[in-house]
Amino acid sequence: MDFRLSEEQEMIRKMARDFADNEILPYCQEWDEHHTFPWDTVKKLQELGLMTCGVPAEYGGPGIDHLGQCIISEEICRGDAGLGTTLAASTLLGPDPVYVAASDEQKKWFYGRMMEGALTAFCLTEPGAGSDAGGISTRCVKDGDYYILNGTKQFISNGGVANLYTVFATLDKKMGYKGMCAFMVDRDSPGISTSPPENKLGIRSSNTTQVIFEDVRVPAQNLLGKEGDGFKIAMKTLDISRAVVGAMATGVAQGAFECAVKYAQERQQFGKPIASFQGIQFIIAEMAVLCETARLLYQKAASNQDSGLPYTKMASLAKYWGGEAAMKVSTDAVQVYGGYGYTKDYLAEKYFRDAKIFQIFEGTAQIQKIVIAGDVFRN
Ligand code: COS
């Protein structure tokens, strides 16, 4: 077993890390404060090819493997988890149903649009269906060569900025998960609208809206897989993307850790740097353990994906532990900063607010435990 990254993966990490240091960290507090979606920085990510890092090489993308995609997500979230959410939602989560279930023709269309600069969003959650993903109410009704979509999607990352959506709808709610279908939908289709962005606790530079479908006509050729495949496509998508979310959470933990280490070396109390006190050293050591274990878990989950090994449980382990690590490390980072950590003068409080979402989105911590326990008892 060799835990070293390949030369290419190290190169990708360095590129994303330098980008975070130079283009994100100097500006992210301002984006957070003013709830700004940083279009210029998103464009720079597009120019670097990072906004299409999930597009396979045969469809014109950079063909970066799952582990490489996770590394990019970690490094961008070390800078700003809001921007990291925009990136992951657009290049990974939004197109993952296409990756999982689309025909060659469909992939050409969707990935082709992404390579031309389209942003994407994954539309599963609804006001009445969060953890119970099989309980969605958005309807799809076949009408000749079209399906007509009606319903409202909730908490959609990139909802208001995406050009393309992957959308889940049901033929008949009474059919339960067996009635679910997945579609590729063009944002310019008549009948689509979005709400104003949510005013969130954290990841405030990301755009989170409702997406509302009113008699939206979607060509039948945009159905992914067959009628009724939607739930399994959603689950397979989440299996892939949860490793990425584990990586994103690791980035938040790592960013908070680095801030705390630096501050502990600078801050003097009792005539010496607080880093010389064992009370602080123990906190820092625990943070190091959490960052490293969160990283190992997402790397194993992604490496299983790249090697064709089973990864559902590993992805949930990575997502669960990443969220726990991000929350604990960022809480302790505020503690190391003391009173200053409680102010907006330092990044610690932003990491702390950003961390919380990782215990919630793409399946709460409790949903991950259901998936993990399900796997434990099945095998
Ligand atoms: N891959 C492929 N198939 C899967 C699967 C997976 N990871 N998980 C479940 N399935 C299949 C099951 O095998 C079952 O198929 P069969 O009836 O043919 O055997 C079917 O899907 C239904 O599975 P299950 O009964 O386990 O579904 P539940 O409704 O109980 O849901 C949970 C399971 C709770 C795990 C699921 O709904 C979930 O992940 N919810 C969270 C959703 C979420 O993450 N939301 C965030 C939105 S995205 S930001």
Side-chain angles (χ1 to χ4, degrees):
M1 195 182 299
D2 185 348
F3 286 96
R4 283 171 304 179
L5 299 178
S6 69
E7 239 176 73
E8 193 195 337
Q9 286 157 346
E10 285 293 1
M11 215 177 67
I12 289 171
R13 182 185 287 289
K14 183 170 180 336
M15 176 172 61
R17 178 166 270 256
D18 289 349
F19 189 89
D21 284 338
N22 300 322
E23 304 286 348
I24 302 178
L25 281 161
Y27 311 107
C28 65
Q29 280 168 294
E30 200 183 314
W31 301 338
D32 173 76
E33 181 74 23
H34 301 292
H35 212 237
T36 305
F37 184 83
W39 273 112
D40 289 348
T41 315
V42 169
K43 295 220 163 73
K44 285 182 189 164
L45 283 171
Q46 281 179 318
E47 281 156 22
L48 271 181
L50 296 182
M51 285 304 287
T52 46
C53 69
V55 177
E58 57 269 44
Y59 296 98
I64 295 173
D65 61 12
H66 291 291
L67 182 49
Q69 295 166 15
C70 284
I71 290 168
I72 292 167
S73 303
E74 178 189 339
E75 294 300 339
I76 299 299
C77 285
R78 173 182 153 273
D80 179 52
L83 184 63
T85 298
T86 303
L87 178 137
S90 185
T91 186
L92 304 170
L93 181 62
D96 276 347
V98 173
Y99 177 81
V100 163
S103 66
D104 183 48
E105 270 312 296
Q106 290 175 324
K107 284 183 180 167
K108 277 185 186 142
W109 179 73
F110 199 92
Y111 289 138
R113 290 281 307 274
M114 285 180 69
M115 292 310 294
E116 287 164 11
L119 298 184
T120 87
F122 175 81
C123 301
L124 173 64
T125 298
E126 297 184 355
S131 293
D132 182 12
I136 58 170
S137 304
T138 295
R139 285 289 308 277
C140 55
V141 176
K142 187 93 192 278
D143 180 29
D145 291 340
Y146 290 85
Y147 286 87
I148 300 174
L149 266 55
N150 276 290
T152 298
K153 297 293 176 179
Q154 183 80 2
F155 301 138
I156 304 305
S157 298
N158 291 343
V161 296
N163 311 96
L164 292 171
Y165 299 124
T166 42
V167 181
F168 295 82
T170 180
L171 292 164
D172 181 354
K173 203 173 157 150
K174 288 197 221 76
M175 292 167 77
Y177 77 85
K178 292 188 175 161
M180 274 174 66
C181 302
F183 299 93
M184 308 182 294
V185 180
D186 193 320
R187 166 66 178 93
D188 288 338
S189 316
I192 299 180
S193 58
T194 59
S195 68
E198 298 287 350
N199 189 3
K200 306 188 295 285
L201 172 72
I203 58 164
R204 288 170 58 80
S205 66
S206 67
N207 173 279
T208 311
T209 69
Q210 284 189 327
V211 181
I212 301 138
F213 299 87
E214 286 170 298
D215 291 331
V216 177
R217 293 176 78 77
V218 177
Q221 68 207 28
N222 286 17
L223 173 72
L224 293 169
K226 300 187 302 301
E227 285 189 351
D229 285 352
F231 186 77
K232 290 185 186 176
I233 294 173
M235 290 301 110
K236 286 180 187 165
T237 293
L238 292 170
D239 284 349
I240 299 174
S241 69
R242 283 172 182 160
V244 173
V245 179
M248 294 166 68
T250 305
V252 172
Q254 180 68 27
F257 170 67
E258 288 175 24
C259 283
V261 169
K262 187 161 173 283
Y263 187 78
Q265 289 167 313
E266 288 166 3
R267 172 75 172 162
Q268 303 266 333
Q269 288 292 278
F270 305 101
K272 28 186 175 170
I274 59 170
S276 63
F277 298 113
Q278 211 172 40
I280 297 294
Q281 289 173 5
F282 282 1
I283 296 176
I284 298 289
E286 279 176 27
M287 288 177 167
V289 171
L290 289 165
C291 290
E292 204 60 48
T293 49
R295 184 169 298 113
L296 285 172
L297 284 177
Y298 90 65
Q299 290 187 343
K300 182 165 181 191
S303 145
N304 278 11
Q305 290 170 5
D306 288 325
S307 321
L309 296 169
Y311 53 80
T312 299
K313 181 176 81 176
M314 275 317 303
S316 279
L317 280 166
K319 200 274 173 187
Y320 167 71
W321 191 242
E324 299 302 299
M327 205 60 238
K328 175 85 170 88
V329 172
S330 60
T331 305
D332 285 350
V334 172
Q335 191 68 20
V336 169
Y337 276 78
Y340 292 104
Y342 204 65
T343 71
K344 287 193 183 272
D345 294 345
Y346 293 91
L347 265 175
E349 66 83 35
K350 176 176 173 298
Y351 283 120
F352 171 75
R353 286 184 290 105
D354 286 348
K356 184 62 197 169
I357 194 63
F358 293 96
Q359 294 178 318
I360 300 172
F361 69 2
E362 294 206 34
T364 61
Q366 291 69 29
I367 288 290
Q368 305 316 317
K369 289 183 189 175
I370 288 173
V371 175
I372 295 164
D375 188 281
V376 167
F377 286 113
R378 253 192 316 277
N379 295 305

